[in-house]
Amino acid sequence: MAQVRTLHKIMALFSVNSIAAVNNSDTHIAGCFLTGIPGLEHLHIWLSIPCCIMYIATLAGNGILICVILSQAILYEPMYIFLSMLASADVLLSTTTMPKALPNLWLGYSHVSFDGCLTQMFFIHFLFVADSVVLAAMAFDRYVAICSPLRYVTILTSKVIGKIAAAALSCRFIIMFPSIFLLKCLHYCRINIIAHTFCEHMGIAHLSCSDISINVWYGLAAALLSTGLDIILITVSYIHILQAVFHLPSQDARSKALSTCGSHVCVILLFYVPALFSVFAYRFGGRSIPRYVHILLANLYIVIPPMLNPIIYGVRTKQILEGAKQMFSNLAKGSK
């Protein structure tokens, strides 16, 4: 019933001619409707509250983290440069989705142009793999710092960091960009309603009455290729880090290092597991997995890791805390 009421609301926004256009679905003109989480319409308002709080916390936490790193010269080191990159990507990823997802939950739907939907889809996927690249770079940074501390300064120079970031992001951009053209080439002949909180590759492809096999396999290959190498690098790095940690002579040092590594691994799993589950469920889950399950998980990796990253990587780092105190102290003195 909730889905029917939502559909009636959408139809009421259009004249008879507009409805015909949507049903004949000249998607490029009519645009798309996002209707939130199917099956949980009665909980949309309640779900919007934690989503809104987490989005605000993401903006505040990552914004403060970026300001602290930029304002404190002592933090101009590879570890903190990568952390500022992660915070920037987190802010952009959340901002690409939440301002459109929240109206879906409040109103039951939101309208977006077809080109706007493609733009949102591209930036969501690109910023996700950008996050993945930074997480891999941070894992490698910790591996070098712990396992080869004497060579750390010579290996991770500013020039090397710039080259790593430019090469990795350029490669990911080349992998992700063709998905826009694959979707543009499809013929659309169904009503343009996407049961999701944001525009997603397979959600758009399923509006088409063309064969979307190439979209299914290209999307899967792009996801695995762009994140698979990062996951392998992160796994290998943390295996070597743990081996080094277990050889530490002090029990306290081992406990502290394991606690830090454990929190890092938990955030990394929260980032990758829901995302990869969503990728596979959308393509191969069929009707065996309720739609609301993988839509909730798709929103999970977009709002929770970006909110937790400033806490895990920032608040628990002594230098960041001291930098934050110094920054706020300077601000307080300047306001007097």
Side-chain angles (χ1 to χ4, degrees), residues 54 90 93-94 97-98 121 124-129 131 135 196 198-201 267-279 282 294-307 309:
M54 285 189 285
D90 284 341
L93 179 61
S94 296
T97 54
M98 282 297 107
M121 175 215 73
I124 288 171
H125 295 331
F126 177 70
L127 290 168
F128 171 78
V129 297
D131 253 353
L135 287 172
H196 211 304
F198 54 80
C199 294
E200 195 268 346
H201 184 183
V267 172
I268 289 168
L269 289 175
L270 267 176
F271 180 72
Y272 282 113
V273 172
L276 292 177
F277 178 85
S278 181
V279 167
Y282 226 136
H294 73 76
I295 292 176
L296 283 173
L297 288 172
N299 283 272
L300 183 70
Y301 76 80
I302 283 175
V303 294
I304 293 183
M307 179 190 68
N309 284 338

Side-chain angles (χ1 to χ4, degrees), residues 224-245:
L224 294 179
L225 186 61
S226 58
T227 61
L229 294 175
D230 297 332
I231 293 172
I232 291 171
L233 179 59
I234 290 170
T235 303
V236 171
S237 296
Y238 273 100
I239 288 173
H240 284 289
I241 289 170
L242 288 173
Q243 286 176 342
V245 166

Side-chain angles (χ1 to χ4, degrees), residues 134-263:
V134 177
L135 287 172
M138 291 175 70
F140 179 70
D141 170 79
R142 290 299 85 203
Y143 159 70
V144 176
I146 293 172
C147 299
S148 300
L150 298 178
R151 300 174 59 200
Y152 180 75
V153 177
T154 57
I155 293 175
L156 287 172
T157 62
S158 298
K159 194 173 182 179
V160 169
I161 292 171
K163 287 181 179 179
I164 291 173
L169 292 178
S170 298
C171 180
R172 269 49 173 198
F173 181 89
I174 292 169
I175 292 172
M176 291 297 169
F177 198 69
S179 60
I180 294 177
F181 296 100
L182 289 175
L183 291 171
K184 283 258 190 187
C185 291
L186 295 176
H187 174 62
Y188 296 89
C189 57
R190 297 191 181 98
I191 191 165
N192 301 344
I193 295 178
I194 301 175
H196 211 304
T197 53
F198 54 80
C199 294
E200 195 268 346
H201 184 183
M202 291 310 300
I204 301 172
H206 281 140
L207 297 176
S208 171
C209 53
S210 306
D211 181 13
I212 62 171
S213 298
I214 188 171
N215 296 78
V216 172
W217 292 109
Y218 182 83
L220 180 63
L224 294 179
L225 186 61
S226 58
T227 61
L229 294 175
D230 297 332
I231 293 172
I232 291 171
L233 179 59
I234 290 170
T235 303
V236 171
S237 296
Y238 273 100
I239 288 173
H240 284 289
I241 289 170
L242 288 173
Q243 286 176 342
V245 166
F246 283 121
H247 284 90
L248 291 174
S250 169
Q251 177 66 38
D252 290 339
R254 282 200 301 271
S255 299
K256 185 177 179 181
L258 287 173
S259 174
T260 301
C261 289
S263 59

